[in-house]
Amino acid sequence: MNKELYSPLIFELSREGRSGYSLPEYHYSDKPFELPAQFRRGDKPDLPQVDEPTVVRHYTNSSGNNFGVDSGFYPLGSCTMKYNPKVNEAMVGAANVADLHPAQPYDTVQGALRIYRTLEKALSEIGGMAEFTLNPFAGAHGEYTGLMVIRAYHQSRADEARKRVLVPDSAHGTNPASAAMAGFEIVEIKSLADGTVDVEDLKSKLDETVAALMMTNPNTMGMFEKNIPEIAAAVHAAGALMYYDGANLNPMLGVARPGDMGFDVMHINLHKTFSTPHGGGGPGAGPVGVRAGLEKFLPNPRVVESADGSLRVEDGEFAFGRVSAWLGNFTVLVKALAYILTMGPKYLAEVGPLSTLNANYIMNSLNDLYLQPIAGPCKHEFVFDGLKDKSGGVTTLNVAKALLDYGFHAPTIYFPLLFHESLMIEPTETESRQTLDAFIDVMRKIAEEAKSDPDKIKGAPYTTPISHPDEDEAALTPLLTYRDLKK
Amino acid sequence: MEIYYLPTHEYIKVDGNIGYIGVSEYAASQLGAVTYVDMPEEGDELEAGEEFGAIESRKAASDLYSPVSGEVLEVNEELADDPKLVNNAPLDAWIVKVKIADSAELEGLMNQEAYDKYLTTL
Amino acid sequence: MHRYLPHTADDIAAMLERCHAESLESLYSDVPEELRLKGGYDLPGPLSEPELERYFKKEIGSANKPLVCFAGAGMYYHYCPAAVSSLMSRSEFLTAYTPYQPEISQGTLQYIFEYQSMMCELTGMDVSNASMYDGATATAEAVVMAVNASKKRRRVLVSATLAPAVAQVIATYASGAHITLEVIAEDKGVTSRKDFEEMICAGDVAAVVVASPNYYGILEDYEGYADICHEHKALFIVNSHATTLSVLRSPGELGADIACGEAQSLGMPMNYGGPGLGYLCCKRALMRKLPGRIVGATKDALGRRSFVLTLQAREQHIRRQKATSNICSNQGIMTLHAAIYMSLMGADGLARVNRLSAEAAHALADRMLSTGKVVLKYPDRPYLNEFAIETVAPVTADSMLKALADNGILGGVRLTENSVLVAATEMCTPEDIDHYITVLNSL
């Protein structure tokens, strides 16, 4: 690849007069169309003018500066970076949905609606819920949707005083942010030393003003909240609902269902547990499931079954509202269904235990060199509080960057906030023992070098396209467009 | 000028019924390189204990709470151009200048000695 | 063994030993017995690849019948160049996560930066984020953002000519954020200027939201709106379909503070509604109120140009409940689609897409009128590539759309029992239009 030639911004590869498009020259009528002057743009947008080969080389070069699950091991905690099966992508084509407009008559889109309905039923079975909406576009969007269901439920009972949502202090930032967007006040619940929810603290905060408790289970430390029956009972006794953040659902596959744990509302990240690609930040999907009795509050539009088994789309009378123009990120749904059918009940049930085995294997292979703040076993992920021996001054950030030179993605760092040097590792079930062993070897080597040659680790990475970008400067003087750069 | 502090590390330097509000040296050292100060507008009314802005560094943000109630007479425009002044000289880099509505509110704040003692407990 | 699960029995045994565990089961000893899944999932499968393909082709694919598309209502059938899908399928892009590690994410970060730059060119704004979910949520977030920026004002005026789905999503988001929405009435297909001026004079307005083109495809004249908004310290928000911005007066030229909408029209397949791409751009003064990811340029230790996620103090992972939004994952790779599409098309290509679409729509409308079966719902209103018609009895919206569908044509989107919203693009051939008219004549 020629980085010099094709790596600049596409704008910088632009030359006046070039173009990369091919359009027909249809003659529709003898009357040429003239845009009235008051609606006409003053000047043309300054978009690049490039030929097709240059565009292809530019983006192909650029892809070489990226790291995906297909490039190598991606142990990013709480992100469930499992293998994204290729057949899933192909099934989007096989399903013949590309040219379907969402306003087509229902009798011409029964296949698409069947995908929606079949996936909805599969997720209900896996979640232990009565029904799902597949409209939410991402995990955080699912949280918001679920909380709006909860709001609508309390309002339907004229229980207007429930303005607060309880969130453990170890929760993902999206939990409190989603609750705030849904109009709730947030109350933090403390964690115990083992990372699980402090049930006494929780009980002291439960009253008639609480709408819901949001939890992941296992939590962000990878610990199963074993007091969950007691927690659910207390929350329900107080008249509030239990919300399950499905970010950590993967280790529960084949083991336990959120509905059976006492959760009333949940979301699932299809781009985590159900193998759809993250796409560098999306599109994902955050389907929301509810227990029986809450279905009617799910957002519009809904896919419903007619008596003859055919499917149609309609709005419900009690829906809390609408969160999407159409039926969500539809192709993501196709891919997730392809995955579920490929795995079937037999192999889906192996996902949880094998992801947990992989996490425990790494943890037990490294906890002599890295500080394990919480005793195991963990579930799908675990947290180290940095190196055990911090005398060389090597931080979690340094360890993360050093990993990049060895062809591994870094773990999630500085989250959860409960520890100063959090290094959160989540291998998934699709990683082989050979991959894990190679990762373990590198992590051990880094720990040794952190003592023998700490400056070397602090200077990493050395082999990446860039190293140590000045992020303070980026925030201090934001340059956000090509125009900003030219100034 | 007398100086008083909130437990959330905002200070107010008092000159008659005029106050200059900023963040303490301790807070400035904890924040990391400040990249932005979100300030209220001239004429806004602050309330004691209420949020009036925020300080951002690259990967953190802290809300600012007002030690007293009163009208904002001036915001420190220098911070808009050079937010690092908060790191360099926090006690000079006041964020807002306020007209103190009720001097009695100052009695509920920590003086320098009390604040220094408070810092040792953190 | 399953092909996605590499563990052999030997691997499992050796790994369990390292974990001092007797069995996989023992790693779950903390899960109470009564919570355990009993008897496995009641699900179909597993299917082999050939079986899976057969299922999707035979059971699903054959039950989908794409029609010749004359529908819009926010989702448009434009051409997607082959190079776009080819490049987008590169797994270095597709299988990456959010670019938290800039050293190995320059590919993602650079295309987001390019996307931001292009969206600012189209909208005439200074700043763009790295995408919202769709045009509806982008517009709802624009409203929330405007209210946050105004600090104390809670009223937002929304034109009745916005697409109903967009208006409903705004209403949903507003209900959570305790925002008071008020609808500016429609006057013969356009926003009532009189209503707008009266409502804004009542005070406490944080923002005014209008659409251009509006839901009926009409080009509305918003001359002076921005000034009036700004006199009353309200922000002016303009919602548009991205493709049209290459030829229409941009939100920037209209004096807007925030530009938002759906960018699916940039050649993205319709895919039964998604994924599309919500865009959200604003003036520099609002930069720190903008939700979502933002990529900025900087230099690395060796002085090389580098791209990083920036202004993160706005976001949920740092500010939690005080964040500008809860958005985390967004539409990611669809911004790559938009960037490649706009690179290939350039301003000239986009202008030609708009011209072909408008010519097709106007030719279709003229010929539809000449059948005598329909009239324009809003005669004399200018439009680009979408227009509303009213059926002339005994023809109804349903009878017209049914007859067209029976002939393989999606004739538009039903508005009411006697009105239909019709759109055309460069994908409609003159023969498609002939066919449409033949069916209409037969009614």
Side-chain angles (χ1 to χ4, degrees), chain A residues 120-406:
Chain A
E120 194 190 318
K121 284 188 170 161
L123 296 180
S124 298
E125 168 66 11
I126 291 165
M129 295 283 149
E131 206 161 310
F132 264 80
T133 171
L134 311 184
N135 299 1
F137 292 108
H141 201 221
E143 292 172 15
Y144 171 77
T145 301
L147 289 162
M148 291 298 280
V149 167
I150 289 170
R151 207 172 104 125
Y153 161 76
H154 289 307
Q155 281 172 350
S156 75
R157 298 156 59 243
D159 199 350
E160 302 283 348
R162 297 190 182 270
K163 303 275 187 215
R164 306 199 301 165
V165 165
L166 309 184
V167 178
D169 55 10
S170 66
H172 300 123
T174 51
N175 287 183
S178 299
M181 280 184 75
F184 291 108
E185 263 175 58
I186 288 81
V187 179
E188 269 198 1
I189 305 295
K190 285 188 208 135
S191 296
L192 296 171
D194 69 356
T196 59
V197 164
D198 181 338
V199 180
E200 292 316 307
D201 188 47
L202 166 68
K203 285 182 177 166
S204 75
K205 285 166 179 163
L206 278 172
D207 59 26
E208 66 289 345
T209 67
V210 175
L213 167 67
M214 294 182 88
M215 279 177 80
T216 52
N217 196 16
N219 62 28
T220 47
M221 267 70 64
M223 304 309 290
F224 186 82
E225 300 277 0
K226 54 185 182 296
N227 295 321
I228 196 71
E230 184 189 354
I231 291 172
V235 168
H236 288 148
L241 298 185
M242 293 280 289
Y243 183 88
Y244 184 85
D245 172 347
N248 298 343
L249 180 66
N250 208 47
M252 290 292 105
L253 286 188
V255 179
R257 310 190 304 173
D260 299 333
M261 294 178 206
F263 288 96
D264 305 291
V265 181
M266 72 180 290
H267 83 263
I268 292 177
N269 303 64
L270 295 185
H271 47 289
K272 294 183 177 175
T273 312
F274 295 97
S275 84
T276 72
H278 282 67
V288 168
V290 294
R291 67 152 163 80
L294 297 173
E295 308 92 322
K296 62 181 179 183
F297 302 116
L298 287 171
N300 292 326
R302 305 274 303 131
V303 173
V304 294
E305 202 156 341
S306 304
D308 66 355
S310 68
L311 298 165
R312 60 186 201 280
V313 182
E314 66 181 32
D315 283 356
E317 191 186 342
F318 300 100
F320 73 78
R322 189 178 189 112
V323 296
S324 59
W326 312 101
L327 291 169
N329 282 331
F330 199 81
T331 60
V332 178
L333 310 182
V334 180
K335 296 176 201 182
L337 179 60
Y339 175 75
I340 290 172
L341 293 173
T342 295
M343 298 301 279
K346 178 172 180 327
Y347 295 108
L348 274 179
E350 290 186 12
V351 166
L354 291 176
S355 70
T356 291
L357 176 66
N358 278 2
N360 280 284
Y361 182 67
I362 297 181
M363 188 173 79
N364 282 289
S365 304
L366 291 175
N367 57 7
D368 56 330
L369 296 175
Y370 292 84
L371 186 62
Q372 182 188 329
I374 295 170
C378 63
K379 293 296 166 288
H380 64 305
E381 68 186 2
F382 62 91
V383 179
F384 283 142
D385 190 4
L387 285 159
K388 242 185 181 167
D389 181 348
K390 295 185 170 69
S391 60
V394 169
T395 64
T396 278
L397 180 68
N398 302 145
V399 172
K401 299 299 181 192
L403 273 168
L404 307 181
D405 281 328
Y406 292 96

Side-chain angles (χ1 to χ4, degrees), chain B residues 35-36 38-40 51 54 56-57 59-61 63 65, chain C residues 100 149 151-152 233 288-289 311-314 318-319 322:
Chain B
T35 55
Y36 179 66
D38 186 14
M39 297 182 281
E51 213 182 297
E56 295 180 6
S57 59
K59 285 185 175 167
D63 293 318
Y65 296 91
Chain C
Y100 288 133
K151 292 186 178 160
K152 293 176 190 97
K233 292 197 168 177
R288 289 172 198 273
K289 302 290 178 196
L311 303 175
Q312 297 188 67
R314 303 161 294 112
I318 290 176
R319 297 220 80 183
K322 285 181 178 162

